[in-house]
Amino acid sequence: MVIETRSPEETFRTGEELGRNASAGQVFALIGDLGVGKTVFTQGLAKGLGIEEAVSSPTFTIVQVYEGGRLPFYHFDVYRIGDVEEMDEVGFDDYVMGDGVSLIEWADLIREILPEKRTEIRIEKDLAQGFDYRKITVTETGD
Ligand code: ADP
Ligand code: MG
């Protein structure tokens, strides 16, 4: 599925829609360059899960847990990890195998430990289409 957006609000609403429909144990793997809109998408997804709390990228921790929504939400940003072994230390497997919804920004950096079954969200710019244009490709893997 490909969705094209032309504003942060549209990307937020795309995330919101996927959050409303997310199921227990679902894992979202976000891929895309710095500033492309991964966190905007994530904020929408959190809203769609019914989370009222403000969601920002976890800066000092790899994972931020939100319990206030329809399902627990585990938000990872792995931009700064040096080695995938750091993911063991935070208990990555327990999160992704748990009943909450997991979302990983910069998922391509930990590709070798991602669960086979996941929802990949690739966000890309195309400057020829305008500065605020984003192409969001949603792919289900592993089934
Ligand atoms: P990332 O988490 O991928 O590094 P952010 O979500 O933090 O990126 O930032 C995306 C930036 O791009 C924001 O400043 C946002 O306002 C801007 N932006 C412009 N157009 C869009 C769009 N169509 N979708 C998402 N963000 C957009
Ligand atoms: Mg981000």
Side-chain angles (χ1 to χ4, degrees), residues 3 8 29-30 47 50 70 75-76 93 126:
I3 299 145
L30 268 61
K47 171 94 185 300
R70 178 168 66 79
H75 178 202
F76 293 83
D93 287 348
D126 180 353

Side-chain angles (χ1 to χ4, degrees), residues 39 57 77 105:
T39 298
S57 265
D77 187 322
E105 292 192 45

Side-chain angles (χ1 to χ4, degrees), residues 59-74:
T59 314
F60 301 107
T61 53
I62 289 174
V63 60
Q64 189 77 48
V65 177
Y66 299 90
E67 301 276 9
R70 178 168 66 79
L71 292 165
F73 180 48
Y74 312 128

Side-chain angles (χ1 to χ4, degrees), residues 5-12 32-43 57 77 105-106 123 125 131-134 136:
T5 72
R6 295 182 183 276
S7 68
E9 293 73 24
E10 280 182 56
T11 295
F12 183 97
D33 294 339
L34 192 66
V36 82
K38 297 181 297 300
T39 298
V40 169
F41 175 92
T42 303
Q43 289 164 339
S57 265
D77 187 322
E105 292 192 45
W106 295 100
I123 311 180
K125 294 186 185 181
F131 191 66
D132 291 345
Y133 171 89
R134 302 291 190 272
I136 304 174

